[in-house]
Amino acid sequence: MTALGEIMTREVVTVGAGATLREAIGILRAENVNGAPAIQNGQVVGVISVSDILDFEVNGPTAPPDSEGDVQWRILEDEESDDVPSFYGGAWDDVGIAERFGIDGAHEWDLLGEHVVGDVMTRGLFSLPPETPLDEAGTYMMRRGIHRVLVMEGKRLLGIASASDFVRAVAEHRV
């Protein structure tokens, strides 16, 4: 029976837990992978995936932490009218939205550049030993709804087995 260690990817792409999300995206893209173990002080502390980053970007904070509750509205001098309908009706005609709210390109908030992998990674380690039979590994992954499993001996990372590794093994008639 084929074991997990026989189909795993041995040269594992890793990302530092302190790397920014923007840096992590660059690494994942350059290596053409959708997820990677997050490493801190030489130890695996979690897994970061494209899905984790997308979920964070969609559901994460909407304003920089230091500006919470400190939003300032800038009303232009030529619009000091008490006529509310004309204020709202003509406000965007002459002035761009960014200028209207005092936003310029140099001050835009970089959500992915200001948060690190450790903020959004999956902390639970889904791992199995290399001698795990493939059917058990596949069942483990399906039950947990994961697309990759770390192959570890104790705390030592040996490799990673993704759904693609399973498909490759089937296509190459190794299972």
Side-chain angles (χ1 to χ4, degrees):
M1 180 166 278
T2 306
L4 195 57
E6 296 173 57
I7 70 157
M8 70 182 183
T9 299
R10 294 178 191 288
E11 294 190 25
V12 180
V13 173
T14 62
V15 178
T20 67
L21 296 179
R22 187 163 307 287
E23 291 168 336
I25 289 169
I27 292 167
L28 297 176
R29 184 173 183 195
E31 297 294 334
N32 197 31
V33 296
N34 292 321
I39 306 294
Q40 185 172 3
N41 300 324
Q43 295 292 313
V44 179
V45 293
V47 173
I48 186 71
S49 69
V50 172
S51 296
D52 294 329
I53 296 170
L54 288 173
D55 286 346
F56 178 75
E57 190 170 28
V58 170
N59 299 313
T62 57
D66 61 347
S67 71
E68 189 174 328
D70 190 25
V71 177
Q72 295 183 4
W73 298 85
R74 186 175 67 126
I75 297 176
L76 301 177
E77 290 178 22
D78 63 337
E79 295 182 349
E80 293 182 6
S81 168
D82 289 332
D83 184 3
V84 174
S86 67
F87 175 80
Y88 286 106
W92 306 112
D93 296 340
D94 300 324
V95 181
I97 293 173
E99 184 180 341
R100 171 88 182 156
F101 290 105
I103 300 169
D104 63 9
H107 299 296
E108 290 181 15
W109 184 37
D110 181 10
L111 178 69
L112 299 179
E114 293 183 16
H115 286 84
V116 297
V117 168
D119 294 339
V120 303
M121 68 185 180
T122 301
R123 293 188 182 279
L125 296 183
F126 297 103
S127 67
L128 293 170
E131 62 275 1
T132 304
L134 290 187
D135 60 339
E136 287 180 32
T139 300
Y140 178 85
M141 292 169 67
M142 284 180 14
R143 285 190 178 151
R144 284 161 181 77
I146 58 175
H147 300 106
R148 66 195 59 77
V149 63
L150 303 177
V151 182
M152 299 179 74
E153 280 183 347
K155 292 185 177 188
R156 190 168 69 110
L157 179 64
L158 303 175
I160 192 166
S162 68
S164 294
D165 292 315
F166 280 79
V167 171
R168 186 178 309 106
V170 169
E172 294 173 354
H173 305 287
R174 292 191 287 154
V175 294

